[in-house]
Amino acid sequence: MESDLFEQDHEDYREVAREFVRREVEPNLERWEEQRLVDRDVWAAAGKQGLLGLQVPEEYGGPGVDDFRFRVAACTEIVAVGAASLQSGFATNDDIVLGYLLGMATEEQKARWLPGFVTGETIGAIAMTEPGAGSDLRGIRTSARRDGDEWVIDGSKTFITNGILADLVVVVAQTDPEAGSRGFTLFVVETGTEGFRRGRKLDKVGLAAQDTAELFFDGVRVPDTQRLGEVGTGLQSLMANLPRERLGIAMSAQTTAEAILEWTLEHVTAREAFGKPLSALQTVSHTVAELRMKVEVSRAYFDRCVRELNAGTLTAVDAAKAKWWATEMQWQVVDAGVQLHGGYGYMNEYAVARAFRDARVQRIYGGSNEVMKEIVARDLTRAR
């Protein structure tokens, strides 16, 4: 897909990502799907190629590059081979967990945790969702009570991306039930901490290779030095990080839709029916023309949002629009792509079939698209 978003440095970085995908990802995709887990080794390999932790400052082992276009370049190559599960894991680290550590961690905490995000040795997770609290984070019941210089965490989380492999988990806990939105605080729980255990690896409709788990905290004690940010600022911190998180979901949706369109075009031009290529049939050619238009229009808005994120001006409302629009567009493209592949589109050996399963959750996580509509609607009525 043509875009003026990238400069030469981004194109060079994309070549590095393409080679990484060719060498480390494509040969292992089927095995990862079958074992329902991405090999941990691929994280270290990505770290060696400089594909992780770009925002980490030089003093903590990273390049200190805060330019989201590099993330877009790498994502484009990863999803081009249908590796949505891997992309989801990387995005959780770089576009979500890392943001909290960079923005809220003390110098000691940064020195302790950030280097591993660059090398791929540290995999992170964010534990927000609970069995009774999804998009409405104020419904969180996991609690943390102060006990001297420690905090005692009790509760459970579900649908946690990277939950099985995670070395550290940023946990959202209620610290003051009477304080409303000021009653939540973030803590970092490391693997091996007594009372912290992982439940089952959840069996999902799609993203089979992406580890998603239940997490349990039974009297987990963490020192106050593992509190992230000030007491009572948890929800405010979550809100502050949402623009990048939601743009990350839009990025995955946009680049995946572009890949699906390419696979579909290849199929309809190569596949023959009634003695001529499928693309010669007007109903097919008009369908792919419409898909191309939707993808290109979406790309224009996405590129604008990327530039605004880099400039520090992307609003939560515009990020919600991008997430909503791109994921809806992705679903339209993949649904049409399966249809135009015919019976082959329903076969698991075809990337478009896997993309169909993987795409469905995009309209749910990061805040359901119904919530995105509410955010946009409230902004409109406030403006009146």
Side-chain angles (χ1 to χ4, degrees), residues 28 30 60 94 133 165 190 214 255 259 300 315:
N28 297 305
E30 295 303 321
Y60 306 114
D94 273 24
L165 291 178
E190 296 176 302
E214 298 171 318
T255 55
T315 67

Side-chain angles (χ1 to χ4, degrees), residues 9-325:
D9 285 350
H10 307 105
E11 295 292 353
D12 294 343
Y13 188 76
R14 183 171 171 174
E15 287 296 327
V16 173
R18 182 179 294 131
E19 176 58 24
F20 163 78
V21 168
R22 185 195 65 77
R23 186 178 62 253
E24 305 288 348
V25 178
E26 284 190 276
N28 297 305
L29 272 177
E30 295 303 321
R31 182 170 55 80
W32 291 344
E33 290 282 310
E34 291 171 4
Q35 70 187 25
R36 294 177 49 236
L37 192 70
V38 170
D39 293 338
R40 193 180 181 94
D41 290 349
V42 77
W43 288 79
K48 288 180 180 178
Q49 293 301 309
L51 298 176
L52 299 176
L54 290 183
Q55 294 182 85
V56 174
E58 292 182 11
E59 58 264 38
Y60 306 114
V65 177
D66 190 11
D67 181 347
F68 197 70
R69 291 177 294 178
F70 288 102
R71 284 283 299 119
V72 179
C75 177
T76 300
E77 295 305 317
I78 293 171
V79 302
V81 298
S85 292
L86 181 65
Q87 159 57 21
S88 177
F90 284 179
T92 297
N93 250 33
D94 273 24
D95 301 329
I96 304 177
V97 179
L98 191 55
Y100 295 110
L101 297 181
L102 289 169
M104 303 174 66
T106 64
E107 292 305 312
E108 184 277 331
Q109 289 173 333
K110 290 178 180 178
R112 178 178 175 183
W113 292 320
L114 291 183
F117 278 77
V118 180
T119 62
E121 295 173 286
T122 301
I123 299 174
I126 176 76
M128 289 188 278
T129 305
E130 297 183 3
S135 294
D136 181 10
L137 296 177
R138 289 175 177 80
I140 287 172
R141 293 293 175 264
T142 294
S143 65
R145 61 178 175 84
R146 189 76 181 253
D147 184 14
D149 292 332
E150 295 182 320
W151 293 84
V152 183
I153 303 174
D154 288 285
S156 63
K157 303 288 184 177
T158 193
F159 308 144
I160 307 304
T161 302
N162 292 348
I164 297 298
L165 291 178
D167 301 289
L168 63 82
V169 182
V170 176
V171 181
V172 187
Q174 188 180 73
T175 47
D176 186 351
E178 306 301 320
S181 63
R182 304 290 299 182
F184 299 88
T185 305
L186 304 185
F187 299 90
V188 174
V189 176
E190 296 176 302
T191 188
T193 303
E194 186 175 355
F196 168 48
R197 61 186 178 89
R198 306 168 208 268
R200 60 197 175 105
K201 181 168 57 176
L202 299 174
D203 186 10
K204 307 185 296 297
V205 171
L207 295 175
Q210 201 288 305
D211 63 304
T212 306
E214 298 171 318
L215 302 180
F216 299 95
F217 306 87
D218 302 315
V220 172
R221 287 182 172 271
V222 296
D224 191 50
T225 54
Q226 287 183 214
R227 171 174 46 83
L228 201 56
E230 297 299 321
V231 174
T233 62
L235 285 189
Q236 289 72 24
S237 299
L238 295 176
M239 296 303 108
N241 281 277
L242 280 176
R244 185 182 177 102
E245 176 183 348
R246 287 176 175 158
L247 190 62
I249 297 172
M251 170 183 69
S252 177
Q254 180 65 43
T255 55
T256 300
E258 292 170 5
I260 294 166
L261 178 57
E262 186 61 31
W263 303 336
T264 302
L265 286 170
E266 289 176 0
H267 179 78
V268 299
T269 53
R271 177 78 172 169
E272 290 194 356
F274 310 109
K276 54 186 175 182
L278 284 174
S279 57
L281 300 173
Q282 188 180 70
T283 183
V284 173
S285 64
H286 283 192
T287 297
V288 293
E290 183 178 351
L291 296 180
R292 179 64 182 246
M293 176 192 67
K294 289 179 178 179
V295 168
E296 288 191 357
V297 170
S298 180
R299 181 72 194 217
Y301 185 71
F302 171 73
D303 285 359
R304 184 189 116 183
C305 288
V306 170
R307 292 189 175 95
E308 290 180 355
L309 181 70
N310 280 350
T313 60
L314 180 66
T315 67
V317 173
D318 283 348
K321 293 175 189 174
K323 189 268 181 184
W324 168 19
W325 184 268

